[in-house]
Amino acid sequence: MSAFAVPVRRKAVVSGLGRLGWQVMMRGRGGSTPAVLLHSRTVFSSAVLLQHQPGGFTHVHRSSLAKLTPQQATNVLRANDASFVMDFDSPVHRFDSNQLASNSPIEDRRAAGRCLYSGDMLFGVFDGHGGSACAQTVSERLLDYIAVSLMDYKQLCDYKSSMESSTGRADAVRRFNFANDYSSQEGSRRYTDALYKFAREVLAAYDEEAEAADCLRHAFERLDEDISSEAQTKLPNGQVNFEALQAAYAGATTVVAYVHGADLYIANVGDSGAVIGVHNEDGTWEPRPLSSDHNALNPSEILRIRSEHPRSESTFVVKGGRLLGYLQPLRAFGDVKFKWNKRLQKEVLNTAYNKNLIPVNYYTPPYLTAMPEITHHRLTSNDKFLILASDGLWEPMMKHTAVRLVAEHLMGNHKGRLHFDDGIKTLGDISNILKKRRASHSAEVMDQNVTTHLIRHALGGTDDGIDHSKLATMLTLPEEIVRLYRDDITITVIFFNTDHIASLE
Amino acid sequence: MVLNLVRSGSLLLSRSRVVWTTHELQYVRTTSGCRELSSASVQFPSEARVVIAGGGIVGCSVAYHLAKAGWTDVVLLEQGSLGCGTTWHSAGIVVQMRSNTLHTNICQYSAQLYATLEEETGLGTGWRQCGTVSLARTSDRMTYLRRTAAAARSDGVQCELIGPKDVAAQVPLLRVDDLKGALWIPGDGTASPSDVMQSLAKGATSRGVQIHQKVAVETVLTDTGRVAGVRTNQGDIRCEYFVNCAGQWAWQLGQLSSPPVRVPLHSCEHFYVVTKPFPGVTNNQPVIRDPDGMHYSREWSGGVLAGGFELNPKPVFTDGIPSKFEFQLLEEDWDHFMPIMEQATYRMPALQDAEIRQFLNGPESFTPDMSPVLGEAPELPGYFVAAGMNSGGIASAGGVGKVMAEWIISGDPPAGTWPVDIRRFGEMHNNRRYLRERVKEILPIHYLQNYPKQEFQSARRVLMSPLYSVLKKAGAVFGETMGYERANWFSRPDSDDFMEPKQPKGTFGKPSWFDAVLREYFVCCENVGIVDMSSLTKFEVQSSGDEVVTYLQRLCCNEVDVPVGTVLHTGMLNHYGGYENDCRIARLANNHYVIISPPNQLVRSWAWLTRHLPRDGSVQIKDVTRSYAVLNVLGPRARELMSSLTDVVTMSSHNFPPNVCRELSIGFAPRVRAMTISHVGELGWMLYVPQEYALHLYLYIMKRGRAFGIRNVGHYVISHLCLEHGIPSLGTDLDSSVTPFECQQEHTVKLDKDFIGRSALLEQKQEGVRQKFVMFLLDNHDLENDLWPWGREPIWEGGRVVGMTTSASYGYTLKKQICLGLVRNPDGKTEEGKVVTDDIITKYKFEIDIAGKRFSATAQLLQPVLTH
């Protein structure tokens, strides 16, 4: 088995956590599908599979695992957390973000930025598979593509002159940097050139009528095309550009939130998700999902794919819950193995990796697209926050649970200035408010950062709050099997500035 | 008009110390001709006698009092503008009763000053003598108030204990059904902090003081080891004296000089809320202090200002104060304030419906022991400090200014300043982490129930003897002095495996350690006990010739030119004959002495000794406190035990009489410096060894001592024994206002040689003493049911207060409560009063007032000479 043979995305689902041990069921395992060690972040190593046979069940006894102290667990959970407060007037008040790796290194990526020319906000969560190369390149480039794509004519002119005048690169987006971010040295020139080319073309074919949704689609598709074409371009010395090829060969699902005044657009490719927390007038909280998952659990996606291919292929185009029986998400960046025609694959992939990688039943490519599904939502002052998260969160946690947890955190942990309404004037009134605040102050709120709070609950949550021993066990699973129990988790929670949004209404 | 704020008989002990109260200065009412506060037109000075850094209320008060005493060549520098630091957000409550007489006098003086300052300067202070009502919800609090009331009468503060109904009559807004009683002090009041400050500033500038704002001190310049000037961002100013009145910036400012000056204080957030006017609040409503509910409240423009001292304070600015922190507040934290607010609305239900005007969170500075930091820095002569007001800046500022002015002008600390003297702190106190930990305990102490002999719980275990762990395992309950852990008593003296004694709850009556100390006491009286006294301050002085003898002769009132190997007991006196140090000196060689002082004298005595060193460097002094451990073996069988440790012949009373110092080899420890002295009047050996030998020596003595019934004993026993023998101890009883003649220590004074303080003593010998230490045995005191004396109880004689006790404890042999107290003979006219003769003491009938109950007391003169 060669190093790059048949990387397949697989899911492990924790089905139940018994008192005596952990029960793990691997769902949708397709017979004797070969597994690849190098891509162990999306598939199990065969060694591990064997170890946990038969029947896909295994028991891992808690006592056999190293435990952490609560502080150590907290340190692990908080290693990548970050919180940014907007110091400018914006519909976004602040946002929290955090990541917890399951794969080593982590395959998830995240990005956040502010469009330099329009002041609009962009947030993205990228879930890589088959390695992190694709997620990495998308996370580095997508926000710029979107910003350029959304520019109006004047902004484009300004941007063009700034990029032509400047010696280095002209940014379209000012990023909020996360501590564990990194950028590709090799790709930087290539990325910039491609972006400028894109900007010039957008300007040349400027369409005043274009809707934001169209611009977003355009940006997504164009980036995917660029990734694809860069993989085919050889280096000046005639060698294969392996970095570009790797980015195209791996894949990434993506969810991006674009905040333009009170207009919120969610562009989604794959099975990451976005949900808004709505605070109703009666005081209840309600989750409002703004994305649908592009996977086999979504009938409309299966219909879409079937309709794009001859009827004869309908039996295997989505098989065993996977695209052609291989890939779980039904839309993704990269994964050119499901996009290129056979000739191109033979020419580029098979030559580079010295192996035939063309999937079985590969007749009418492309089977996969990076075309995003766009949701538009007009924000109201009832919309308090938006959760963007990779499927690592959505597997163990329902959307309404996540919204409830963030809402509780928001209510109970609302430090700093209390906003008193006009009716609130006396010490007695304030006393009553404080009493309520104290009562709502959930005892288990240990993390200032709400995304850390969510991860803590995703891993260690029970009906009665956090079970530290469960949390500690989840955090100390051996590297070979951790992926069976949990995926990489990336969460960004965006808190809206209700006052600002109310002023836009 | 003549402004004489100082009424005799009520204020700071004058003795012969007070410098300017005798100045009869004529002050013209200042309406015209006084300089405006803004000094924009005044050229920046290049020279001044005194430079004050910090234009808050304290700095202005120091400037005012210096000018008033005739020192007008004073420049006050403020980095922002006047009062922009913490003065402007003070609550402005002036409470007079404090934990020591000097601080009480300081606040008394402030109240008088603020009441009359307007007459002089034309600027009002907002002073309102509305009085304070301190409420008691518990019986312990009531006891505390009774003790405070007793002390207040002796300190000259008018007060009255009142019942709940009287409280309701005073302030109808209050809920009183849960109260045990209250203390009403009519002389307290409130002032407007900024107005007081402006008024003081005007009083200063009208006399010629220059105030320069927007001037930041960059460093303090030194020349030949003393202050020579100040470098500011506007230029240098040459000066003789520098006064650090920088409040919460004082720590930082202290670090800017070379050598750095330690100003141990740390900022904490302090919260209060101000309401809009509401019905029922009267103009003259007393200040309410409800310590059991952690809060205080005062009238504020028809509304109420309510704040408090919470149990979980928030230290702030550990890593420095942000620049330009002028007229700034910290972030509101209603959740944090909630417990205080709940208590305030519980006490004053009308607050529920009161509208909020403002909620404030301002930082204030706190010190490691809740007393201000005043005086001349031991590190740098000419560098004075007045900071660390512990939320009492307005109440203290007036008196602090006066004390500082006296101190700077005379060069000597005024009487009674030991509890506020900067020299009570050592280097460990200045550590930021230490301070951060400690101030978290200090802020709540304002209103937490305090008990006698209470030890701080935070920032402990800083300095420990090598025996610490062993003693802890043996059941030692530790106390702290100068950051040093000392065993106070042993909860299970004979058990080797006993662990972790619990800190007992405090009480004003018979303490929980009574029986334990009783056992230790009898060990010392019948067998032999061992105490770890490693915390003692140890200095070595030497010279190549006999310069060291000349040096010590000048400092010590006793003869120091004694045979080598002799240990002597001597005081080191100031020019007024008062104790600067009370120490043992051992002559190790012709030109080599070791000086042993109490632990709390580490910084003070070092400052005193180095200040008088010959300039030519012929005498060298070395602090060996940290190098040596000290074990004290005491009791009737001590000599037997010592004999078993070494050569029997060596230890015979002939070879080893009292007051000698020999080097012995004990166990494997060579060169143990053994001195036959005991600090407590019992036969005993003090064994000085390098720290590394201490554990070996201790274990060896314990092993051999088992045959003699040796036991660990703690420092409580030592102080009991001291008291029973009538030996006053330095720092607790003695301070620099007491002379040897006043505490029956004539035998340590050799008037036939010259020493500092001799002329004062000669005068006193002729005239007689006007205060005297007396030992009192309480009659009819019920050990179990009566409250105990603990020190600071008034001594009554024939309807007048003649003094205060300084320390007290139970005499296990005499089976009576013993108090030591300083007795005067007031005549109602002069501050000093009449001469106190031995006759008076034996003739008069004394009573000791313990929390309002008076016990007749038998007075005894202290024993003049101790025999071993």
Side-chain angles (χ1 to χ4, degrees), chain B residues 522-536:
Chain B
F522 282 109
V523 166
C524 296
C525 292
E526 290 166 2
N527 294 318
V528 55
I530 183 165
V531 202
D532 177 11
M533 293 190 132
S534 305
S535 55
L536 286 173

PDB file of all heavy atoms in Angstrom, chain B residues 522-536:
ATOM      1  N   PHE B 522       5.319  25.430  83.385  1.00  0.00           N
ATOM      2  CA  PHE B 522       5.867  24.633  84.479  1.00  0.00           C
ATOM      3  C   PHE B 522       7.086  23.829  84.045  1.00  0.00           C
ATOM      4  O   PHE B 522       7.938  23.506  84.864  1.00  0.00           O
ATOM      5  CB  PHE B 522       4.774  23.768  85.118  1.00  0.00           C
ATOM      6  CG  PHE B 522       3.921  24.592  86.031  1.00  0.00           C
ATOM      7  CD1 PHE B 522       2.613  24.909  85.704  1.00  0.00           C
ATOM      8  CD2 PHE B 522       4.454  25.104  87.212  1.00  0.00           C
ATOM      9  CE1 PHE B 522       1.838  25.708  86.526  1.00  0.00           C
ATOM     10  CE2 PHE B 522       3.683  25.905  88.051  1.00  0.00           C
ATOM     11  CZ  PHE B 522       2.375  26.204  87.709  1.00  0.00           C
ATOM     12  N   VAL B 523       7.170  23.535  82.763  1.00  0.00           N
ATOM     13  CA  VAL B 523       8.399  22.929  82.263  1.00  0.00           C
ATOM     14  C   VAL B 523       9.571  23.869  82.535  1.00  0.00           C
ATOM     15  O   VAL B 523      10.618  23.458  83.021  1.00  0.00           O
ATOM     16  CB  VAL B 523       8.282  22.638  80.744  1.00  0.00           C
ATOM     17  CG1 VAL B 523       9.645  22.335  80.152  1.00  0.00           C
ATOM     18  CG2 VAL B 523       7.335  21.478  80.507  1.00  0.00           C
ATOM     19  N   CYS B 524       9.364  25.147  82.269  1.00  0.00           N
ATOM     20  CA  CYS B 524      10.440  26.122  82.444  1.00  0.00           C
ATOM     21  C   CYS B 524      10.717  26.396  83.923  1.00  0.00           C
ATOM     22  O   CYS B 524      11.815  26.801  84.291  1.00  0.00           O
ATOM     23  CB  CYS B 524      10.104  27.442  81.759  1.00  0.00           C
ATOM     24  SG  CYS B 524       9.971  27.280  79.998  1.00  0.00           S
ATOM     25  N   CYS B 525       9.717  26.219  84.758  1.00  0.00           N
ATOM     26  CA  CYS B 525       9.903  26.513  86.174  1.00  0.00           C
ATOM     27  C   CYS B 525      10.442  25.309  86.946  1.00  0.00           C
ATOM     28  O   CYS B 525      11.037  25.459  87.996  1.00  0.00           O
ATOM     29  CB  CYS B 525       8.589  26.952  86.818  1.00  0.00           C
ATOM     30  SG  CYS B 525       8.065  28.533  86.202  1.00  0.00           S
ATOM     31  N   GLU B 526      10.210  24.103  86.408  1.00  0.00           N
ATOM     32  CA  GLU B 526      10.586  22.930  87.188  1.00  0.00           C
ATOM     33  C   GLU B 526      11.685  22.116  86.529  1.00  0.00           C
ATOM     34  O   GLU B 526      12.528  21.550  87.197  1.00  0.00           O
ATOM     35  CB  GLU B 526       9.354  22.030  87.411  1.00  0.00           C
ATOM     36  CG  GLU B 526       8.353  22.668  88.359  1.00  0.00           C
ATOM     37  CD  GLU B 526       7.001  21.985  88.333  1.00  0.00           C
ATOM     38  OE1 GLU B 526       6.879  20.983  87.599  1.00  0.00           O
ATOM     39  OE2 GLU B 526       6.093  22.459  89.025  1.00  0.00           O
ATOM     40  N   ASN B 527      11.649  22.008  85.206  1.00  0.00           N
ATOM     41  CA  ASN B 527      12.663  21.210  84.530  1.00  0.00           C
ATOM     42  C   ASN B 527      13.479  22.083  83.598  1.00  0.00           C
ATOM     43  O   ASN B 527      14.181  22.964  84.029  1.00  0.00           O
ATOM     44  CB  ASN B 527      11.994  20.067  83.763  1.00  0.00           C
ATOM     45  CG  ASN B 527      11.340  19.086  84.700  1.00  0.00           C
ATOM     46  OD1 ASN B 527      11.915  18.746  85.726  1.00  0.00           O
ATOM     47  ND2 ASN B 527      10.144  18.661  84.384  1.00  0.00           N
ATOM     48  N   VAL B 528      13.311  21.820  82.310  1.00  0.00           N
ATOM     49  CA  VAL B 528      14.051  22.620  81.344  1.00  0.00           C
ATOM     50  C   VAL B 528      13.255  22.671  80.039  1.00  0.00           C
ATOM     51  O   VAL B 528      12.675  21.667  79.614  1.00  0.00           O
ATOM     52  CB  VAL B 528      15.477  22.057  81.144  1.00  0.00           C
ATOM     53  CG1 VAL B 528      15.451  20.592  80.754  1.00  0.00           C
ATOM     54  CG2 VAL B 528      16.256  22.853  80.110  1.00  0.00           C
ATOM     55  N   GLY B 529      13.210  23.844  79.475  1.00  0.00           N
ATOM     56  CA  GLY B 529      12.514  24.018  78.195  1.00  0.00           C
ATOM     57  C   GLY B 529      13.485  24.505  77.139  1.00  0.00           C
ATOM     58  O   GLY B 529      14.574  25.015  77.456  1.00  0.00           O
ATOM     59  N   ILE B 530      13.097  24.320  75.897  1.00  0.00           N
ATOM     60  CA  ILE B 530      13.960  24.792  74.817  1.00  0.00           C
ATOM     61  C   ILE B 530      13.128  25.631  73.845  1.00  0.00           C
ATOM     62  O   ILE B 530      12.010  25.248  73.491  1.00  0.00           O
ATOM     63  CB  ILE B 530      14.667  23.616  74.108  1.00  0.00           C
ATOM     64  CG1 ILE B 530      15.620  24.136  73.033  1.00  0.00           C
ATOM     65  CG2 ILE B 530      13.685  22.612  73.512  1.00  0.00           C
ATOM     66  CD1 ILE B 530      16.599  23.089  72.547  1.00  0.00           C
ATOM     67  N   VAL B 531      13.640  26.797  73.522  1.00  0.00           N
ATOM     68  CA  VAL B 531      12.936  27.709  72.618  1.00  0.00           C
ATOM     69  C   VAL B 531      13.846  28.042  71.450  1.00  0.00           C
ATOM     70  O   VAL B 531      15.039  28.305  71.641  1.00  0.00           O
ATOM     71  CB  VAL B 531      12.600  29.062  73.295  1.00  0.00           C
ATOM     72  CG1 VAL B 531      11.464  29.731  72.562  1.00  0.00           C
ATOM     73  CG2 VAL B 531      12.308  28.891  74.739  1.00  0.00           C
ATOM     74  N   ASP B 532      13.277  28.029  70.277  1.00  0.00           N
ATOM     75  CA  ASP B 532      14.002  28.461  69.085  1.00  0.00           C
ATOM     76  C   ASP B 532      13.891  29.981  68.993  1.00  0.00           C
ATOM     77  O   ASP B 532      12.815  30.514  68.770  1.00  0.00           O
ATOM     78  CB  ASP B 532      13.380  27.788  67.851  1.00  0.00           C
ATOM     79  CG  ASP B 532      14.043  28.252  66.573  1.00  0.00           C
ATOM     80  OD1 ASP B 532      15.088  28.912  66.648  1.00  0.00           O
ATOM     81  OD2 ASP B 532      13.509  27.931  65.492  1.00  0.00           O
ATOM     82  N   MET B 533      15.000  30.659  69.219  1.00  0.00           N
ATOM     83  CA  MET B 533      14.985  32.130  69.172  1.00  0.00           C
ATOM     84  C   MET B 533      15.810  32.648  68.008  1.00  0.00           C
ATOM     85  O   MET B 533      16.408  33.723  68.078  1.00  0.00           O
ATOM     86  CB  MET B 533      15.515  32.697  70.485  1.00  0.00           C
ATOM     87  CG  MET B 533      14.610  32.428  71.658  1.00  0.00           C
ATOM     88  SD  MET B 533      15.134  33.356  73.076  1.00  0.00           S
ATOM     89  CE  MET B 533      13.606  34.070  73.613  1.00  0.00           C
ATOM     90  N   SER B 534      15.800  31.900  66.929  1.00  0.00           N
ATOM     91  CA  SER B 534      16.637  32.276  65.784  1.00  0.00           C
ATOM     92  C   SER B 534      16.239  33.609  65.171  1.00  0.00           C
ATOM     93  O   SER B 534      17.002  34.194  64.413  1.00  0.00           O
ATOM     94  CB  SER B 534      16.554  31.197  64.712  1.00  0.00           C
ATOM     95  OG  SER B 534      16.898  29.959  65.258  1.00  0.00           O
ATOM     96  N   SER B 535      15.035  34.067  65.503  1.00  0.00           N
ATOM     97  CA  SER B 535      14.590  35.312  64.895  1.00  0.00           C
ATOM     98  C   SER B 535      15.286  36.534  65.493  1.00  0.00           C
ATOM     99  O   SER B 535      15.162  37.631  64.959  1.00  0.00           O
ATOM    100  CB  SER B 535      13.079  35.448  65.075  1.00  0.00           C
ATOM    101  OG  SER B 535      12.753  35.350  66.434  1.00  0.00           O
ATOM    102  N   LEU B 536      15.997  36.373  66.603  1.00  0.00           N
ATOM    103  CA  LEU B 536      16.665  37.518  67.229  1.00  0.00           C
ATOM    104  C   LEU B 536      17.577  38.233  66.234  1.00  0.00           C
ATOM    105  O   LEU B 536      18.193  37.611  65.380  1.00  0.00           O
ATOM    106  CB  LEU B 536      17.507  37.040  68.417  1.00  0.00           C
ATOM    107  CG  LEU B 536      16.755  36.641  69.681  1.00  0.00           C
ATOM    108  CD1 LEU B 536      17.718  36.042  70.686  1.00  0.00           C
ATOM    109  CD2 LEU B 536      16.047  37.841  70.285  1.00  0.00           C
TER     110      LEU B 536
END
